Amino acid sequence: MRRIRVGTTQLESVPEPKYWHLKTVIGEALDSDFSVGEILPNERDLAARFGVARATLRQALEQLELEGRLQRRRGVGTTVAPPRMGVEVSTTQQAWPGSAQDAWQSFDCAKAVPPAAVARLLGTVAEEETYTLRRLRVTHGQPVAAEQLYVPAASVPELSAIDAPPGTARARAVLRELQRLELEGQDRAVELGSARADDAKELDRLPGAPVLLVTTRYFSGGRTAAVTVATYRADTCRLTFGASGDVEISHHDQETRRAS
Amino acid sequence: MRRIRVGTTQLESVPEPKYWHLKTVIGEALDSDFSVGEILPNERDLAARFGVARATLRQALEQLELEGRLQRRRGVGTTVAPPRMGVEVSTTQQAWPGSAQDAWQSFDCAKAVPPAAVARLLGTVAEEETYTLRRLRVTHGQPVAAEQLYVPAASVPELSAIDAPPGTARARAVLRELQRLELEGQDRAVELGSARADDAKELDRLPGAPVLLVTTRYFSGGRTAAVTVATYRADTCRLTFGASGDVEISHHDQETRRAS
DNA sequence: GAGTGGTCTAGACCACTTA
DNA sequence: AAGTGGTCTAGACCACTCC
């Protein structure tokens, strides 16, 4: 976009996009001139101040929000976000969901046909209904993840569908039955996704917000006995595997000064 | 945006954004009418076909790309992306970087002052120089991750700076010294980030592209002996922790059909 | 040079929160 | 009612790839 000239000789072309440059400038300002929770000037003011269109300014803010440095709320404003919180995901010794106090609160259970992708993981035949629990993970008073737990009826044979009506009671019953099985192993995958409408609502985000999808398989009796798909807010969470949850990490400045 | 009316009574307001609806429609079309690698019509055509502005159409495509369903390349076009590849990140038994064939190829090593965030993890004093290796991870012929490895000089006391000049030779020397230490434990964190310019270039993406940052700490002698920050392409990678790397997972359809 | 996706503009209106 | 961020438009030009 800008071209640097010395005399009349064009030395270097700098096609660095405006929004990228803006992001850098604002990012540095956040480090030096703002503190956590502070509100920024509104987008129209900022755009005018930097002499760019609002759409361009927004592109920069979007990136900063993606990196967890800003928080924007419609009707309210843009604030400086606190550092991402470390959310433990590993649990060194493997355990069924619902064991002990694992920071999740169940609040619904129905029988439903799982998405094709989940059915494939479970190894169930298409259209087969499974228990489908819904749980929410709350940390420091903030909802950080919504989870869908899929348990084929075959995994909990002693649970009759008549035991409890759909709802929290049945959710507890399913989790209780799972504890009785021997957990032979588990498996995790993390990928980027965008929030479905229902997850977004529970996580207090807009639909389509970037999220980290954590898919876990639980093995028992030589089969996949259960599968969970957890949707973590990507803006506020850093998933930790091990004991690093208590350490402050911030990737705000990634540049490295070279020496030799 | 659209309002559904029966007679003159407004029954339900559907403020679902256009781009969100578009994303759904195109997503379904991808499942039924397109196969992996196929090229879509260009953005101007698509926008006209759906009767929206190009910016709106792009918002939908951006989301689909974020979810790993599309691949867009400037000057070329938009193609249907293959399912994300599972990339093993855990290594069940812990090991130093560079041990055995771990799919990483080192190609540089310099001494430099690490970013403040990394220095904090290492527990080094500010401005202290550390060995700074750069590695690339290639899977199926595709670069999937770029990594920065930080090793304080104190961790490899037997390595004299004069041993080897900066470059691949010194990189090998540092890794070799690390193997001689006893690894007492390691630690991982995963979070969302955007690609720095240098990483983006090596990963064949534009700067700012969404990436998964994997930060690993290696413990030895009661200290943090090394830290790595790996930048994985979020569009093409699914990080796996365990043995699930070989299984096909696709989160294209997440909807669940309810029953009871 | 033609065609693609990437950037940018200057407006408009909408949905939401707060006072 | 005022002010915020979210959505959308209709254009323009740029950087890149490929023929």
Side-chain angles (χ1 to χ4, degrees):
Chain A
M1 200 90 270
R2 273 173 14 231
R3 288 178 184 281
I4 298 174
R5 284 165 176 279
V6 173
T8 61
T9 312
Q10 173 183 312
L11 276 189
E12 193 186 358
S13 80
V14 184
E16 181 183 74
K18 269 189 190 174
Y19 76 88
W20 184 258
H21 183 237
L22 259 184
K23 182 199 131 180
T24 308
V25 171
I26 297 177
E28 286 167 359
L30 290 183
D31 290 332
S32 55
D33 303 343
F34 289 87
S35 51
V36 170
E38 201 166 344
I39 58 179
L40 270 63
N42 72 54
E43 297 183 348
R44 290 162 180 87
D45 281 358
L46 278 177
R49 187 173 314 189
F50 288 110
V52 300
R54 180 153 81 111
T56 305
L57 185 270
R58 278 179 60 80
Q59 219 172 335
L61 296 187
E62 260 152 39
Q63 283 235 5
L64 289 167
E65 191 180 29
L66 194 79
E67 294 173 19
R69 306 194 53 186
L70 288 181
Q71 188 162 359
R72 300 146 90 199
R73 273 175 305 173
R74 167 155 51 176
V76 180
T78 303
T79 57
V80 181
R84 285 190 177 129
M85 44 185 153
V87 179
E88 180 61 41
V89 170
S90 89
T91 56
T92 321
Q93 72 274 31
Q94 310 195 327
W96 290 106
S99 50
Q101 273 64 33
D102 58 356
W104 291 91
Q105 56 187 64
S106 316
F107 65 90
D108 193 21
C109 175
K111 273 194 118 172
V113 176
V118 172
R120 215 173 301 131
L121 291 178
L122 287 170
T124 57
V125 295
E127 305 294 311
E128 180 180 334
E129 290 197 346
T130 71
Y131 291 104
T132 303
L133 279 73
R134 188 128 179 89
R135 305 196 299 169
L136 202 63
R137 180 166 181 172
V138 178
T139 305
H140 301 131
Q142 298 282 344
V144 294
E147 185 181 73
Q148 205 97 25
L149 200 165
Y150 302 94
V151 183
S155 296
V156 285
E158 307 215 2
L159 184 71
S160 150
I162 310 148
D163 271 8
T168 60
R170 190 152 82 176
R172 277 194 299 274
V174 171
L175 291 176
R176 187 170 8 93
E177 286 298 310
L178 274 183
Q179 312 298 327
R180 297 170 52 173
L181 301 178
E182 188 196 358
L183 179 60
E184 291 162 358
Q186 67 187 44
D187 214 39
R188 280 214 173 78
V190 177
E191 62 186 313
L192 180 58
S194 53
R196 284 150 49 215
D198 55 348
D199 289 328
K201 194 167 187 181
E202 261 149 7
L203 298 177
D204 194 27
R205 300 257 62 199
L206 291 177
V211 293
L212 296 172
L213 291 179
V214 180
T215 307
T216 310
R217 299 192 293 178
Y218 297 88
F219 303 113
S220 180
R223 301 168 44 258
T224 304
V227 164
T228 62
V229 179
T231 300
Y232 285 83
R233 283 184 60 152
D235 55 343
T236 57
C237 294
R238 189 181 74 248
L239 307 183
T240 63
F241 299 78
S244 65
D246 47 336
V247 180
E248 282 268 318
I249 313 182
S250 133
H251 282 290
H252 291 180
D253 55 336
Q254 273 262 330
E255 77 288 348
T256 297
R257 257 182 297 154
R258 303 232 136 200
S260 70
Chain B
M1 199 89 273
R2 272 174 17 233
R3 289 178 183 279
I4 298 175
R5 285 168 176 275
V6 172
T8 61
T9 312
Q10 174 182 312
L11 276 189
E12 194 186 357
S13 79
V14 184
E16 180 184 75
K18 270 189 190 176
Y19 77 88
W20 184 259
H21 183 236
L22 259 183
K23 183 199 132 184
T24 308
V25 171
I26 298 176
E28 287 167 359
L30 290 182
D31 290 331
S32 55
D33 304 343
F34 290 87
S35 51
V36 169
E38 200 165 344
I39 57 178
L40 269 61
N42 71 54
E43 296 182 348
R44 290 161 179 87
D45 281 358
L46 278 178
R49 188 172 313 189
F50 287 110
V52 301
R54 191 175 152 224
T56 306
L57 186 269
R58 277 179 60 81
Q59 220 173 332
L61 295 187
E62 260 153 39
Q63 284 237 2
L64 289 167
E65 191 181 29
L66 195 80
E67 294 173 20
R69 306 196 51 185
L70 287 181
Q71 189 161 358
R72 300 147 90 198
R73 272 176 305 172
R74 169 157 49 177
V76 180
T78 303
T79 58
V80 180
R84 285 189 176 130
M85 45 185 152
V87 179
E88 181 62 42
V89 170
S90 90
T91 55
T92 320
Q93 72 274 29
Q94 310 195 328
W96 289 107
S99 50
Q101 274 65 32
D102 59 356
W104 291 92
Q105 55 186 66
S106 316
F107 65 90
D108 192 23
C109 175
K111 272 193 122 174
V113 176
V118 172
R120 215 172 300 131
L121 290 178
L122 287 170
T124 57
V125 295
E127 305 293 311
E128 180 179 335
E129 290 196 345
T130 70
Y131 291 105
T132 303
L133 279 72
R134 188 129 178 91
R135 305 196 299 168
L136 203 62
R137 179 165 181 173
V138 178
T139 306
H140 301 131
Q142 299 282 344
V144 294
E147 186 182 73
Q148 205 97 26
L149 201 165
Y150 302 95
V151 183
S155 297
V156 285
E158 308 215 1
L159 184 71
S160 149
I162 311 146
D163 273 7
T168 59
R170 190 152 82 175
R172 276 194 299 274
V174 171
L175 290 177
R176 187 171 6 93
E177 285 298 309
L178 273 184
Q179 312 298 326
R180 296 168 54 171
L181 302 178
E182 188 195 359
L183 179 60
E184 291 162 358
Q186 68 187 44
D187 213 36
R188 279 213 173 81
V190 177
E191 63 186 312
L192 180 60
S194 53
R196 284 151 48 215
D198 55 348
D199 290 328
K201 194 167 188 178
E202 260 149 6
L203 298 178
D204 193 29
R205 301 257 63 197
L206 291 176
V211 293
L212 296 172
L213 292 179
V214 181
T215 307
T216 310
R217 299 192 292 178
Y218 297 88
F219 303 112
S220 180
R223 300 167 46 257
T224 303
V227 164
T228 63
V229 179
T231 300
Y232 285 83
R233 283 184 60 152
D235 54 343
T236 56
C237 294
R238 189 182 73 249
L239 307 183
T240 63
F241 299 79
S244 66
D246 48 337
V247 179
E248 283 266 321
I249 311 182
S250 134
H251 282 292
H252 292 180
D253 54 337
Q254 272 263 330
E255 78 289 345
T256 297
R257 259 182 294 154
R258 302 232 133 197
S260 70

